[in-house]
Amino acid sequence: MCSFFLCQTGKQAKISMGEENQTFVSKFIFLGLSQDLQTQILLFILFLIIYLLTVLGNLLIIILIFLDSRLHTPMYFFLRNLSFADLCFSTSIVPQVLVHFLVKRKTISFYGCMTQIIVFLLVGCTECALLAVMSYDRYVAVCKPLYYSTIMTQRVCLWLSFGSWASGALVSLVDTSFTFHLPYWGQNIINHYFCEPPALLKLASTDTYSTEMAIFSMGVVILLAPVSLILGSYWNIISTVIQMQSGEGRLKAFSTCGSHLIVVVLFYGSGIFTYMRPNSKTTKELDKMISVFYTAVTPMLNPIIYSLRNKDVKGALRKLVGRKCFSHRQ
């Protein structure tokens, strides 16, 4: 009995495959976005600028909403949550990418990879849910304006926010559990620039069909279901706006909803492309470019889109700048 247990333990610790010993992977090596030194330097500068704009832009949105009482409404409450999610989303990936541009060997520990996937999926999936909640908020504001204050109460907003973060945590837990219950032996080179489940599954030493189906199912829950809600909301919004008598009212409705719709298209489009299609459909380089778009570019664009197209946010910014200038004069 003891010898059998020792034999099984030995098999789990080391698997012989021909003349090559396959050992449990303790760390992963990224191929990154480029192997060329000059290209990596240029990418470092580009990603550094993008990350700084992301941090400054989203922090500015959070601070403005906190300081300006005119922005203490449900729409801006959800926008503050979205900015915080964007900040965490980008920070879970981009700083590590910046470091890897400056070193020759781009490595991450097994548990570091697991942590990155947990955080990135948590905030990424939360953002998916938040965008759906924000579309519902716009639907109520445009289609049921007389009942807006009674429907979108503070309690309802808190529950919708909690539900968004809880759904992100659930999807993150399921996807991470299925991804890391697989054995990873020997091969540890990831043809990507961060730990992402579709790229990591290619290194698994066993069949990944059940894990891929679990991730696909979670994708349906957190991507396609919210998209259906968003499409339904905007169908009703557009129908209502067309029937409006006031041209100014139509313009205001399209302006506030247009910002949200741009963000939805950018984020969901790249997310669905990555997680809701067969892996063999595109090249690995294209997969990396799409990942760059929703992990780095979209979090940077969100505060720009909402601030440039939103009179309330621009007004709050002017008020804050004017207050600072007045205090310096004093």
Side-chain angles (χ1 to χ4, degrees):
M1 182 72 177
C2 292
S3 62
F4 174 77
F5 175 76
L6 291 173
C7 179
Q8 293 300 314
T9 305
K11 287 181 181 179
Q12 292 176 358
K14 186 177 290 187
I15 297 177
S16 177
M17 188 177 293
E19 296 180 355
E20 183 183 4
N21 289 328
Q22 301 290 312
T23 56
F24 175 75
V25 171
S26 61
K27 64 181 178 182
F28 296 102
I29 301 171
F30 298 116
L31 292 182
L33 292 169
S34 176
Q35 300 296 315
D36 180 69
L37 181 59
Q38 291 185 340
T39 303
Q40 289 189 74
I41 293 172
L42 292 174
L43 287 173
F44 173 82
I45 296 171
L46 178 62
F47 270 70
L48 180 61
I49 293 171
I50 289 174
Y51 183 63
L52 290 176
L53 289 174
T54 300
V55 172
L56 293 174
N58 284 291
L59 278 178
L60 181 62
I61 292 288
I62 293 170
I63 292 169
L64 287 176
I65 294 173
F66 177 77
L67 293 178
D68 198 314
S69 59
R70 293 175 300 176
L71 302 181
H72 293 175
T73 62
M75 183 178 79
Y76 294 108
F77 171 74
F78 297 128
L79 179 57
R80 184 169 59 180
N81 274 264
L82 182 69
S83 292
F84 179 71
D86 275 333
L87 198 58
C88 296
F89 192 56
S90 184
T91 301
S92 68
I93 297 168
V94 178
Q96 176 198 262
V97 176
L98 290 172
V99 172
H100 285 170
F101 283 138
L102 302 177
V103 297
K104 188 174 182 180
R105 193 172 177 84
K106 304 169 177 57
T107 62
I108 188 172
S109 69
F110 182 87
Y111 292 106
C113 182
M114 183 186 296
T115 302
Q116 186 177 63
I117 288 181
I118 290 172
V119 175
F120 137 75
L121 285 176
L122 168 62
V123 291
C125 295
T126 297
E127 185 163 345
C128 290
L130 282 171
L131 289 172
V133 167
M134 291 172 74
S135 73
Y136 174 71
D137 172 75
R138 292 299 82 207
Y139 160 74
V140 177
V142 175
C143 301
K144 302 178 183 294
L146 298 178
Y147 302 99
Y148 183 76
S149 59
T150 57
I151 294 175
M152 300 302 294
T153 62
Q154 185 178 14
R155 184 176 181 180
V156 169
C157 292
L158 288 172
W159 274 110
L160 288 172
S161 175
F162 173 77
S164 298
W165 286 96
S167 63
L170 175 63
V171 175
S172 175
L173 179 64
V174 172
D175 283 5
T176 304
S177 299
F178 272 89
T179 300
F180 284 94
H181 93 283
L182 298 172
Y184 294 91
W185 305 94
Q187 188 179 2
N188 67 340
I189 299 175
I190 302 177
N191 190 4
H192 210 9
Y193 64 95
F194 75 102
C195 283
E196 190 171 26
L200 196 60
L201 290 180
K202 293 181 174 65
L203 304 184
S205 304
T206 188
D207 181 65
T208 61
Y209 179 77
S210 60
T211 299
E212 289 174 1
M213 287 300 99
I215 292 175
F216 182 85
S217 300
M218 289 296 101
V220 171
V221 171
I222 204 63
L223 287 171
L224 296 187
V227 163
S228 300
L229 176 61
I230 291 170
L231 291 176
S233 297
Y234 273 97
W235 175 263
N236 287 286
I237 288 171
I238 292 171
S239 300
T240 302
V241 169
I242 290 174
Q243 296 173 10
M244 285 183 176
Q245 299 289 334
S246 170
E248 185 180 348
R250 283 198 298 267
L251 182 63
K252 184 178 179 181
F254 276 126
S255 178
T256 55
C257 295
S259 301
H260 178 254
L261 197 56
I262 291 171
V263 173
V264 166
V265 171
L266 292 175
F267 188 78
Y268 274 102
S270 53
I272 290 173
F273 184 87
T274 300
Y275 286 93
M276 304 302 295
R277 57 157 180 85
N279 291 330
S280 60
K281 289 286 185 180
T282 60
T283 64
K284 293 181 177 64
E285 297 306 314
L286 181 58
D287 286 340
K288 291 180 189 179
M289 293 302 104
I290 297 296
S291 295
V292 167
F293 194 80
Y294 69 80
T295 59
V297 178
T298 303
M300 176 195 70
L301 290 178
N302 284 356
I304 297 174
I305 291 169
Y306 279 110
S307 61
L308 290 179
R309 294 180 57 87
N310 193 298
K311 292 181 180 180
D312 293 334
V313 173
K314 288 190 286 187
L317 181 58
R318 281 194 295 266
K319 183 179 177 181
L320 179 63
V321 173
R323 188 186 303 169
K324 291 292 183 183
C325 292
F326 179 76
S327 62
H328 282 307
R329 288 176 185 174
Q330 293 292 325

